[in-house]
Amino acid sequence: AYYADKKKEQGHSIISNPHIYSLSIAVYATSWTFYGSVGRAATTGPDFLLIYLGPSLTAVSWWFLLRKIVRISKENNITSIADFISSRYGKSQWLGAIITVIAILGIMPYIALQLKVVSTTFAMITGNRGIHLLFHEGVSLASPHPGLFAALSLALFSIVFGARRLVSSERHEGLVAAIAVESIVKLIAFLIVGVFVTYYLFDGFADIFSRLAAKDPTLYLHLTTLGGPGKVSYMSWFNIFFMSVGAIMLLPRQFHIMVIENSNEEHIKAAMWWFPAYMFLINLFVLPIALGGVLLSGSSIDADYFVLTLPLTSGHHWLALLAFLGGFSAAAGMVIVESLAISTMFLNHLVMPVIVKLKPREWFPILLINLKRFGIFLVIFLGFLYFRIVGETYMLMNMGLISFAAAAQFGPALLGGLYWH
């Protein structure tokens, strides 16, 4: 991030190319993808694919839909999805504020999901539930929750590379470069774990499927087919698919990366192909890992963390560490961009309407930039609070779907604002 920012100051952008843009859109693949997809596949079967099938099919529409949104945003100095929708309806302050409140409340479970994954996998990889800071006679006096450290470090990074200046419509080249690198890290880590499970612990795809079919034919059918008793209904399939179609462009972080950080609309052409290819690759080994985990562990309990526990239990600690870093990358990218996008909405639609009614003072710019930084901390720590209160009781995918449902509320207003004169 630092290197990319320095290059920008020298007049050379390292992120202004279609491949970096496509990789940055892959911030869609969070720790829910890295861990939760395997958990879902090990409990309900192939319906995890809907979360990635929706965005992949939606990519076909980007050349006329996303390009139109990008053009409108550049012409009107749009800074967020709340700004975009409110500006299309007479620059309504109330509409912008309502969207901001929905976003803050709706995204809390999604941020909680990332912090839950980081703290749980940290405990698995270290064997400690907390981070021990102060000792007296061999007894730990201070042992903060690892999720708190994750929240603090990610908030600090977001502030340094996302809230250095007050111009909300500027592009954050360092941040986008970091997200692109994280997309590479999580993909490589997942593929290496997938190859390890499929071709080292087992003898390929066919071996895993045939072993499970021989051991438990009923479970095999349950995890590899779409219909049957105990399966998710077709209406639920449609709902999950529909929400994922909207989520790729309606989640605040996706809108921020795809629209606000877009440097050239021609990059959209490449992203239409590269992003679905990325989704295909990161899901290639989900079923083998899930079914392999069920075979080796004998159950689907804690299936969310098979990506980490399979290397750990087989004694390959270096691979477990790589998996942890991949999962951390997936979580960090989401939290950083989401907190930046929502803090911009928080400043522009909840704070600014109050500030502009006051008599201008010379210290207003300092107040505003600090309020934006406060917004980043607020969003991340609300997520941490949600995780500590209710996050332990849900599977990863169920927590993510709550946020998808919240983002889906923006769809009709956004499409109406695009085409309804």
Side-chain angles (χ1 to χ4, degrees):
Y2 179 77
Y3 175 75
D5 276 346
K6 279 295 177 188
K7 281 293 187 182
K8 180 189 176 186
E9 290 169 8
Q10 295 166 10
H12 304 290
S13 173
I14 67 167
I15 69 156
S16 189
N17 74 70
H19 302 302
I20 298 294
Y21 179 65
S22 303
L23 283 170
S24 67
I25 296 174
V27 72
Y28 178 81
T30 65
S31 58
W32 170 0
T33 300
F34 199 87
Y35 294 109
S37 291
V38 172
R40 184 77 172 189
T43 51
T44 61
D47 67 337
F48 74 93
L49 285 170
L50 294 169
I51 301 298
Y52 312 100
L53 191 60
S56 298
L57 294 176
T58 306
V60 176
S61 71
W62 287 356
W63 187 238
F64 58 87
L65 187 65
L66 177 58
R67 188 171 58 147
K68 186 178 175 73
I69 295 172
V70 168
R71 284 183 177 177
I72 292 169
S73 299
K74 301 303 179 194
E75 287 170 8
N76 296 280
N77 261 354
I78 298 298
T79 60
S80 65
I81 189 169
D83 197 12
F84 182 87
I85 294 174
S86 63
S87 70
R88 304 302 282 173
Y89 295 90
K91 298 191 183 298
S92 168
Q93 283 187 1
W94 282 107
L95 185 56
I98 289 168
I99 291 168
T100 302
V101 171
I102 291 172
I104 291 173
L105 296 177
I107 297 304
M108 274 198 306
Y110 214 164
I111 292 177
L113 185 157
Q114 314 308 317
L115 298 176
K116 175 183 179 178
V117 162
V118 170
S119 60
T120 305
T121 53
F122 176 85
M124 287 178 173
I125 207 105
T126 61
N128 287 304
R129 277 281 164 198
I131 298 173
H132 305 294
L133 294 180
L134 297 174
F135 287 90
H136 179 68
E137 296 179 356
V139 179
S140 175
L141 300 179
S143 182
H145 197 281
L148 182 62
F149 273 94
L152 281 169
S153 59
L154 295 177
L156 188 61
F157 183 92
S158 303
I159 288 168
V160 170
F161 292 102
R164 208 178 297 170
R165 288 177 286 272
L166 196 54
V167 185
S168 296
S169 58
E170 75 166 346
R171 289 189 295 113
H172 306 87
E173 299 222 352
L175 185 131
V176 173
I179 298 305
V181 170
E182 285 179 331
S183 293
I184 295 170
V185 170
K186 66 194 177 194
L187 178 62
I188 291 174
F190 196 86
L191 289 176
I192 290 174
V193 173
V195 169
F196 167 77
V197 172
T198 309
Y199 295 103
Y200 182 82
L201 297 182
F202 295 92
D203 194 23
F205 283 76
D207 181 43
I208 295 173
F209 282 78
S210 59
R211 278 206 211 180
L212 187 64
K215 182 180 179 182
D216 192 336
T218 306
L219 181 63
Y220 173 74
L221 282 174
H222 177 71
L223 297 181
T224 56
T225 56
L226 306 181
K231 300 294 285 187
V232 178
S233 70
Y234 295 117
M235 196 63 202
S236 295
W237 270 65
F238 174 78
N239 286 338
I240 295 172
F241 176 77
F242 177 76
M243 286 193 289
S244 68
V245 164
I248 187 60
M249 292 176 67
L250 299 175
L251 286 167
R253 75 172 184 280
Q254 294 301 137
F255 188 92
H256 184 87
I257 285 290
M258 297 170 74
V259 178
I260 309 304
E261 300 291 354
N262 178 278
S263 59
N264 186 338
E265 65 180 45
E266 288 296 315
H267 295 168
I268 296 171
K269 281 183 182 176
M272 289 168 63
W273 301 102
W274 284 108
F275 176 75
Y278 187 99
M279 290 291 99
F280 171 78
L281 285 174
I282 205 162
N283 283 287
L284 189 59
F285 289 103
V286 169
L287 263 179
I289 294 172
L291 302 186
V294 170
L295 276 169
L296 292 174
S297 67
S299 74
S300 58
I301 297 170
D302 283 336
D304 276 337
Y305 302 104
F306 277 167
V307 176
L308 188 65
T309 55
L310 290 179
L312 267 180
T313 53
S314 61
H316 294 79
H317 294 166
W318 65 271
L319 187 57
L321 183 60
L322 180 67
F324 171 78
L325 291 174
F328 182 80
S329 287
M334 179 273 173
V335 174
I336 289 164
V337 183
E338 201 78 81
S339 62
L340 173 62
I342 295 180
S343 72
T344 301
M345 293 158 64
F346 170 78
L347 177 66
N348 291 350
H349 299 284
L350 296 183
V351 176
M352 285 296 282
V354 176
I355 297 289
V356 294
K357 291 179 180 178
L358 304 176
K359 187 178 178 181
R361 306 284 169 83
E362 60 183 24
W363 43 264
F364 270 17
I366 298 170
L367 173 68
L368 292 174
I369 189 63
N370 284 320
L371 283 170
K372 184 174 182 178
R373 291 165 182 165
F374 169 75
I376 290 172
F377 268 107
L378 178 69
V379 170
I380 293 177
F381 280 96
L382 281 175
F384 177 71
L385 192 65
Y386 185 95
F387 156 53
R388 294 296 289 153
I389 295 171
V390 297
E392 299 286 0
T393 58
Y394 291 100
M395 278 189 71
L396 299 183
M397 187 164 183
N398 298 339
M399 291 172 71
L401 285 174
I402 298 170
S403 296
F404 272 32
Q409 314 307 313
F410 306 147
L414 185 133
L415 288 173
L418 272 179
Y419 297 106
W420 181 26
H421 296 293

